[in-house]
């Protein structure tokens, strides 16, 4: 392990977090929350100063191998969250550090699971920071750093692979820095577009900004206790559209920008993603039709909740925990499927589900025709064996972690539905579950130990498991 390069990268992360913290400080000044503003400025200075001390000595060897890349990403997100939780504690809005850390990790991992019973009691500075963590974590802080600052040349691809969601990561452009830049330009463009549309539709600017951070980052933290239930139907529909857009592989938007429309609309994963959404909406609309005055209202709530759950955003317009069992079971299934690879969404990812289904079909065909030679294809190309192997390993590790987490939090003695959906909601970075962690409830009921388990799940889910699992191996920390 090259500890010097890991230290160096963590220093850059702290410095960037310090500059990010200046924005909520400015928001605090604008809303005359002087005490909170000063606290945010103080924590920002602490992060910048600590980061500066950490990067003063540049490592002699700046080469990044897979081990350093995965370790830097895992520790980077932990350090980011530890310092990011300080403003919540110092302002007194979340005085317990474990709770503040849970809220912060939930923000950065774009999970949206909260321990707060009264969100509206937070200051504007804390509400802004809470939602801004979604936006930072959505595309990823390492992608942001690579877009701004070329640190280690081509070896930074190991950082992008460790942080980016999906079974495989590739460059959109020859240089990693250029790929990071185009990703962030698309990300910023989608965010600004949503802010403008929500503001034009009658939403106040503060809510339009914070909700857009949560939508584009597929996070789910809102500024109201009822999430989005109190907003107008047109604002809800706008958020629905942008949630679904944010769950699409960003390679599609890149192809559209380059006018490669044939390539954009030939991506198999995106087609299945949209088919799953439409089929789920149709079934749920039919199933909940008797619960709302009109079919149009049933359709609106169904579209919103399907879009919110499959993209792992986690906003709600209604208490879907009161829906019939069929509708709730569909939503739970969508929790596991998740969004597209290469998007800001969580979950297993549609591409992995498609690969697994094709692998099952291949095995069935071979059973019938033992001499058949059949290759699995995606988008007209033969899928490399490495991708198939990594998909199988990911699914195995995913369910081992899932059931281990369920067993651990069951020590709190809550219902199976509560425990199952709490782990599903955190490991898949969704936010709300069912029963005691439903859309009108929160995660404050869990013990500090269970909260730590769920925090690990949120980080593991956001980083595609392996970076968080690798740092648990003793061999990871051995020097070369």
């Amino acid at each position: 392990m090259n500890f010097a390069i890991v230290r160096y990268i963590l220093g850059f992360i702290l410095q960037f977090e310090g500059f990010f913290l200046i924005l909520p400080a400015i928001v605090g000044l604008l809303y005359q929350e002087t005490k909170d503003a000063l606290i945010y400025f103080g924590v920002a200075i602490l992060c910048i100063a600590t980061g500066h001390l950490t990067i003063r000595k540049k490592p002699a060897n700046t080469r990044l191998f897979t081990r350093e890349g995965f370790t830097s990403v895992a520790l980077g997100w932990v350090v980011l969250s530890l310092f990011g939780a300080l403003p919540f504690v110092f302002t007194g809005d979340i005085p317990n550090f474990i709770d503040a850390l849970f809220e912060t990790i939930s923000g950065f991992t774009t999970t949206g699971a909260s321990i707060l019973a009264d969100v509206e009691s937070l200051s504007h500075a804390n509400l802004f920071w809470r939602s801004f963590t979604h936006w930072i974590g959505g595309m990823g802080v390492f992608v942001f750093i690579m877009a701004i600052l070329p640190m280690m040349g081509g070896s930074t691809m190991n950082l992008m692979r460790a942080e980016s969601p999906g079974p495989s990561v590739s460059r959109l452009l020859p240089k990693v820095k250029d790929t990071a830049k185009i990703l962030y330009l698309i990300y910023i463009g989608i965010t600004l577009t949503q802010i403008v549309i929500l503001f034009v539709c009658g939403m106040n600017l503060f809510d339009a900004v914070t909700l857009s951070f949560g939508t584009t980052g597929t996070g789910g933290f809102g500024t109201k206790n009822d999430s989005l239930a109190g907003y107008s139907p047109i604002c809800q529909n706008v958020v629905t559209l942008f949630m679904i857009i944010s769950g699409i592989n960003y390679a599609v938007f890149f192809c559209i920008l380059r006018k490669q429309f044939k390539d954009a609309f030939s991506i198999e994963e995106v087609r299945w993603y949209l088919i799953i959404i439409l089929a789920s909406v149709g079934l749920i609309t039919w199933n909940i039709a008797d619960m709302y005055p009109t079919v149009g209202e049933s359709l609106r709530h169904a579209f919103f909740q399907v879009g919110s759950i499959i993209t792992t955003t986690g906003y709600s317009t209604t208490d879907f925990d009161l829906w019939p069992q069929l509708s709730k079971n569909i939503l739970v299934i969508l929790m596991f499927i998740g969004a597209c690879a290469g998007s800001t969404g969580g979950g297993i990812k549609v591409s992995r589900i498609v690969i697994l289904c094709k692998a099952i079909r291949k095995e069935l065909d071979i059973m019938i025709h033992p001499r058949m030679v059949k290759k699995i294809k995606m988008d007209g190309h033969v899928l490399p064996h490495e991708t198939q192997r990594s998909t199988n390993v990911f699914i195995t590790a995913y369910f081992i972690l899932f059931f281990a987490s369920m067993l651990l939090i069951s020590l709190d003695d809550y219902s199976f539905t509560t425990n199952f959906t709490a782990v599903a909601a955190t490991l898949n970075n969704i936010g709300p579950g069912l029963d005691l962690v439903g859309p009108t409830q929160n995660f404050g009921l869990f013990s500090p130990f269970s909260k730590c388990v769920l925090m690990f799940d949120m980080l593991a889910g956001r980083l595609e498991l392996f970076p968080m699992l690798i740092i648990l191996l003793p061999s990871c920390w051995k020097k070369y």
Side-chain angles (χ1 to χ4, degrees):
M1 171 68 72
N2 183 355
F3 291 102
I5 193 61
V6 174
R7 166 190 57 79
Y8 193 65
I9 292 170
L10 294 181
F12 275 112
I13 291 169
L14 275 177
Q15 285 203 317
F16 275 95
E17 183 172 24
F19 290 113
F20 290 145
L21 284 161
I22 293 173
L23 285 178
I26 295 171
V27 170
L29 290 177
L30 291 174
Y31 284 92
Q32 299 181 345
E33 298 165 350
T34 308
K35 175 193 168 186
D36 287 6
L38 291 175
I39 287 171
Y40 272 97
F41 275 123
V43 177
I45 292 169
L46 173 66
C47 289
I48 293 170
T50 306
H52 177 71
L53 290 173
T54 308
I55 65 172
R56 283 182 66 185
K57 185 179 179 182
K58 188 172 181 179
N61 178 13
T62 60
R63 189 70 185 169
L64 260 178
F65 295 100
T66 302
R67 187 195 303 187
E68 286 79 13
F70 277 50
T71 304
S72 298
V73 168
L75 293 182
W77 281 71
V78 172
V79 169
L80 196 71
S81 301
L82 288 170
F83 280 83
L86 296 178
F88 291 130
V89 177
F90 293 155
T91 58
D93 277 353
I94 311 178
N96 182 287
F97 183 74
I98 293 294
D99 286 347
L101 185 61
F102 185 97
E103 200 78 8
T104 308
I105 289 176
S106 181
F108 279 123
T109 59
T110 72
T111 303
S114 179
I115 50 82
L116 295 169
D118 184 11
V119 172
E120 295 175 29
S121 65
L122 269 62
S123 66
H124 286 86
N126 279 330
L127 284 172
F128 182 88
W129 175 239
R130 191 168 169 265
S131 294
F132 191 44
T133 55
H134 280 335
W135 196 85
I136 296 169
M139 183 58 66
V141 66
F142 285 88
V143 177
F144 180 83
I145 291 174
M146 284 184 280
I148 302 296
L149 192 68
M151 292 185 296
M152 277 70 69
S155 58
T156 51
M157 194 63 192
N158 286 321
L159 290 176
M160 185 174 282
R161 285 197 181 100
E163 189 179 56
S164 299
S168 63
V169 177
S170 59
R171 297 179 176 90
L172 298 179
L173 294 169
K175 294 183 179 179
V176 175
K177 182 180 179 181
D178 292 336
T179 298
K181 275 184 177 179
I182 195 68
L183 287 173
Y184 251 97
L185 285 174
I186 295 169
Y187 192 51
I188 292 169
I190 294 173
T191 307
L192 292 177
T193 303
Q194 185 183 354
I195 291 172
V196 171
I197 294 174
L198 287 176
F199 184 68
V200 170
C201 290
M203 190 179 289
N204 69 69
L205 184 60
F206 182 81
D207 286 0
V209 170
T210 51
L211 288 177
S212 295
F213 285 159
T215 305
T216 316
T218 61
F221 279 154
T223 59
K224 308 295 181 187
N225 291 330
D226 63 359
S227 193
L228 267 75
Y231 293 101
S232 66
I234 189 170
C235 288
Q236 293 175 1
N237 291 336
V238 169
V239 173
T240 302
L241 175 63
F242 276 89
M243 284 191 297
I244 292 171
I245 288 172
S246 298
I248 292 175
N249 191 321
Y250 271 51
V252 172
F253 306 126
F254 177 74
C255 290
I256 292 172
L257 286 176
R258 302 192 74 174
K259 298 181 179 179
Q260 297 171 343
F261 300 110
K262 185 178 179 181
D263 293 336
F265 298 109
S266 65
I267 298 177
E268 190 173 352
E269 179 189 30
V270 177
R271 293 201 303 272
W272 279 111
Y273 168 73
L274 297 175
I275 289 169
I276 292 168
I277 288 174
L278 292 174
S280 301
V281 169
L283 284 170
I284 291 176
T285 302
W286 168 76
N287 194 224
I288 65 172
D290 295 337
M291 297 183 64
Y292 299 97
T294 65
V295 175
E297 189 172 350
S298 299
L299 181 64
R300 173 164 56 85
H301 287 305
F303 242 120
F304 188 96
Q305 291 311 148
V306 167
S308 178
I309 297 300
I310 195 170
T311 62
T312 70
T313 304
Y315 286 137
S316 62
T317 56
T318 186
D319 186 359
F320 55 79
D321 197 26
L322 301 176
W323 283 2
Q325 288 300 321
L326 174 63
S327 296
K328 289 194 288 187
N329 288 341
I330 291 171
L331 292 180
V332 171
I333 292 170
L334 295 179
M335 286 182 183
F336 288 93
I337 294 174
C340 296
S343 71
T344 58
I348 292 174
K349 302 296 181 301
V350 175
S351 58
R352 286 196 180 100
I353 301 298
V354 174
I355 291 169
L356 287 172
C357 289
K358 290 189 174 189
I360 292 170
R361 175 61 187 273
K362 175 186 173 182
E363 289 303 312
L364 292 174
D365 287 341
I366 291 175
M367 286 179 184
I368 298 171
H369 306 286
R371 296 184 179 182
M372 174 185 285
V373 177
K374 187 172 182 179
K375 302 288 187 180
I376 296 176
K377 293 185 177 182
M378 285 283 284
D379 302 324
H381 302 290
V382 175
L383 204 65
H385 175 73
E386 177 68 20
T387 303
Q388 298 176 48
R389 184 192 61 81
S390 65
T391 299
N392 294 333
V393 172
F394 176 89
I395 295 298
T396 304
Y398 176 93
F399 282 106
I400 289 174
L401 179 58
F402 185 94
F403 291 117
S405 299
M406 266 194 68
L407 286 174
L408 290 173
I409 70 168
S410 66
L411 293 171
D412 285 353
D413 206 25
Y414 294 116
S415 70
F416 175 82
T417 301
T418 297
N419 294 335
F420 185 91
T421 58
V423 175
T426 50
L427 188 57
N428 295 312
N429 304 131
I430 292 161
L434 298 173
D435 200 9
L436 296 180
V437 291
T440 61
Q441 307 295 325
N442 61 74
F443 285 70
L445 57 101
F446 287 107
S447 65
F449 173 76
S450 291
K451 287 174 183 172
C452 289
V453 172
L454 296 174
M455 282 189 275
F456 182 87
D457 287 346
M458 287 189 279
L459 288 166
R462 172 59 184 84
L463 300 178
E464 299 284 295
L465 305 186
F466 297 115
M468 294 303 296
L469 295 178
I470 280 175
I471 63 172
L472 300 180
L473 296 175
S475 59
C476 172
W477 302 99
K478 290 181 180 179
K479 287 187 176 182
Y480 291 125

